[in-house]
Amino acid sequence: MMYMLQFMLAAIELPMTDPVLKFLLILVIILAAPLLLNKLRIPHLLGLIIAGAIIGPHGFNLISRDSSIILSGTAGLLYIMFLAGLEIDMGDFKKNKWKSLAFGIYTFLISMALGMLLGVYVLNFSVLTSALLASMFASHTLIAYPIISKLGITKNKAVTITVGGTMVTDTLALLVLTVVVGLAMGKVDDMFYYRLSGAIIVYFLFVLIAFPLIGRWFFKRVDDNISQYIFVLVMLFLGAYLAELAGLEAIIGAFIAGIALNRLIPGTSPLMNRVEFVGNAIFIPFFLISVGMLIDYRAFFTSWDTLKVGGLMIVVATIAKYVCAWLTQKIFGMSDDQRWVIFGLNSAHAAATLAVVTVGYNVILGQTPDGEPIRLLNESVLNGSILMVLVTCTMASFAAQKGAHNIAMADGPEDKEDEEDHKERILIPVSYEGNVSELVNLSTAIKSKKNKSGLYALNVINNKASDEKTIKQAKKVLNMTVTTAAATDNLVHDLLRYDLNVANAIISVIQEQAITDMVLGLHQGKGISPSFLGNMTEGILNQSNVTTFIYRPMQPMATIKRHWIVVPENAEKEVGFPMWVNKMWNIALNTGAQLLFHASEGTLAYLKELYKKRPIEAEFTLFDDWNDFLIIFREIKSDDMLWIVMSRRERFSYHASMSRIPGYLNSYFQMNNFALIYPVQAGGKSTKFMI
C-alpha cells in the first residue's frame, strides 16, 4: 500500500496539470475546511484562503494560479456581489437608502483622508500614488457576507445599511482608480469627465429598467428550472460586462444586476435556493481559494519595506473602517453587535483592492537611470496589499461571526416564542398537475420563513373510482408537490385519502393535522362560479375554521409587481383579521412586491397602525363602496394580483355585493392572478396568534 502511494505521488507533476486531479483537490479542500475549522471556531472562509496559500504557487505549488483558477475566482467574486444584491430587503433598503448613502460617503471620505495622509506624509509618495493607495483603503469586499447569510440576519438594519453603502463606497473608490490612471497616462481631456459620467448614468438606467423587464418577460414564458438558472447567470455576467464598458468595475455591475432582479427571484422560490446553493458550494469557495493563492509569504521575510508598508496599510485601513463602523453605530443608534457586523462586512479588502493594486502596478510612468521601470504603485505596495488582504479578511471573518452570532442568538428566544404561540400548518389540496407549482409557491410565500415543515399536500380519491390508474395519477401529483417544495428547502407531508365526498376528506384532515391555513387552487384560465363558492361555503368553510385562500394563477408569483388587497368594512372586527394580515406581510417580505390596501377609513386606520413598524412597501387607498367594485378595474394592470377579503353571511364584514364577485372576476380580471380570502370567523376554533 505504501509503495503504491509513493508511486502515485511520484507520478504527479507539480504543479498539477491534470484537470480532474486539480478539481478533485479543490473539492476536497472545500469539503474539509468547514469540518476541520468549525471545531476550532475559525470561520471556514478564512480556512479556504489559507488553504489557497498552502496549495498555491507560493506554497507547495500543487496548483498554479492559471486561467482556469482566475476564471473561477472571478465568477465567485461576482457571485458574492450578485447574491448581496439579490438578498437585500428592498423595502428596508428604500427605507434606509439615505443612511446607506451617508455610510458609503463618509466611509469613502474617512478612508481617503487617512490614506492620503499616510501616502504623502509618511511614505513620501506622490499625490497620484497616494490617491490610488487611499482608494484601496476606501473600497472593501463583502467577503464575510456568506457568514451573515448562513446565520440568517441579512434583513438586519446593520447589514442592509452596510451592503447598500458598499455600492456607494466601492463605486467612488473605483472611479478614483479610473481618474488617477487617466491622469497618470495623460488621457484626461476636457471631455473625459463628461464621457465617464454619461456612460455611468446610461448604464445604471439601462440595468435597473431593462433587466427587470427582460426578466419578467422570460420568467412568464419559461418555467424550465435549468433554463431559468442559466438565464440568471447570463444577466449576472451581462451586468458585470456592461459595467466594465461604462468605466466601472465588474463587481459593481454584479451588485446592480442583483438589485435589478431582486423582486423577480423571491427568497422563498426554488430558483433562489438554486442560486444560493451553487454559489455557496462552488463559485464562492473557488474565489476564496484563488485569493489565498496570491499570498507570497516569502516577501514578508525578504523585504523590510514590504513589512513596513504592509503594516502601515493594515493599521490605517483597519482604523478607518472601525471608525466608520463606530460612527454608524452611534449615529443610527445600533448595538455593539451590529457595530461588529458592520466592521466585519466593510473591513475586508480583497477584490477592489487587488484590482486597484494590479492596475497601479502595471502603469509604467518612466524608467530609472538603471533602466528599471517606475511604476505608479511599487512592489512594496503590491506585496503589502497581499498582506493587507490576508489580515483584513481574517479580522473581518472573526468580527462578522462574533456580531452575527450574538444577533442571531438574541433573536432566537423571540422566534421560539412565536412558534409556540402559533403552530402554522398550511394544507394544499391538489388534484391537477398544472397548478401544483403555483400553489406551492403561494403557500411558501404566505408562510413564515422559519416554518420549514408546516406544509401538507392532500389528494382525495373517490372510493367509487379508485382504480389503479387513478391511484397512480394521485400519487404522481403528490410527488410533484413534494418535489416542488423540496426545491425551496421546505418539507411537504403528502396525504392520500379515500372518500366519497372531497369536502368531508378535507375537513377530516384539517381536524387531524390541526391545520391553520388552506390554499385551494382553481385551474388556470377557468372562471369561478357562484355555485362553486356556494358549495365551498356549505361544504368546507362553514364546517372548518381556518384561513382559506382560493387561488387562481395566471402568471408566476415571482413576476407580480403589486398586490391589490380589497378589504370590506369592519374586517378588523373579525377574529381572523390579524391572521390574514400577517400572511400579507409575509407575501411582501418573501416576494418584495408592493401591497396596496383598499378599505374603508376605519379599517385603513387600523391597518396603518399595524404596518408602522414594518419594513415593507404598502399604500393605503380609501375604498368603501362595494357596489362600485369595478372602480378597481380601471387602475389594475396585468402584472398585478388581486386579493379580495370575503366573509360569511351574517358576519361583521359581510356585504351583499360579495355575491357578485365571481361575475366580476370572470368578466374583468381574466388576465390577473387573484385570490379570495376567507378569514377565521368567531364561533369556531380560534388560533392564538400575535401580530
Side-chain angles (χ1 to χ4, degrees), residues 574-686:
E574 302 282 5
V575 69
F577 178 77
M579 300 170 195
W580 71 259
V581 170
N582 185 73
K583 300 305 179 189
M584 293 298 101
W585 183 34
N586 287 342
I587 285 278
L589 287 176
N590 292 332
T591 68
Q594 185 180 19
L595 302 183
L596 305 175
F597 287 97
H598 291 69
S600 63
E601 187 173 351
T603 305
L604 285 180
Y606 203 89
L607 287 167
K608 289 177 182 178
E609 191 65 28
L610 290 175
Y611 279 89
K612 271 185 181 178
K613 297 181 180 180
R614 299 192 171 189
I616 62 172
E617 284 190 84
E619 291 184 6
F620 304 89
T621 303
L622 181 64
F623 175 76
D624 54 8
D625 187 4
W626 278 62
N627 292 318
D628 192 18
F629 185 87
L630 292 180
I631 191 174
I632 294 174
F633 174 69
R634 302 171 194 170
E635 299 182 38
I636 197 167
K637 298 186 177 356
S638 59
D639 290 327
D640 296 337
M641 177 169 173
L642 181 62
W643 301 74
I644 305 174
V645 181
M646 305 289 282
S647 181
R648 284 80 158 180
R649 290 183 181 275
E650 300 178 1
R651 298 295 183 175
F652 293 115
S653 58
Y654 180 76
H655 193 285
S657 295
M658 289 181 179
S659 61
R660 296 197 289 270
I661 293 298
Y664 293 150
L665 295 175
N666 293 338
S667 301
Y668 300 99
F669 301 95
Q670 303 97 327
M671 302 307 297
N672 294 95
N673 287 20
F674 70 74
L676 303 180
I677 305 175
Y678 283 86
V680 172
Q681 301 281 316
K685 182 179 179 182
S686 180

Side-chain angles (χ1 to χ4, degrees), residues 115-128 130-131 133:
M116 289 294 293
L117 291 174
L118 172 66
V120 174
Y121 295 105
V122 179
L123 299 176
N124 298 317
F125 290 162
S126 67
V127 173
L128 287 182
S130 299
L133 180 71

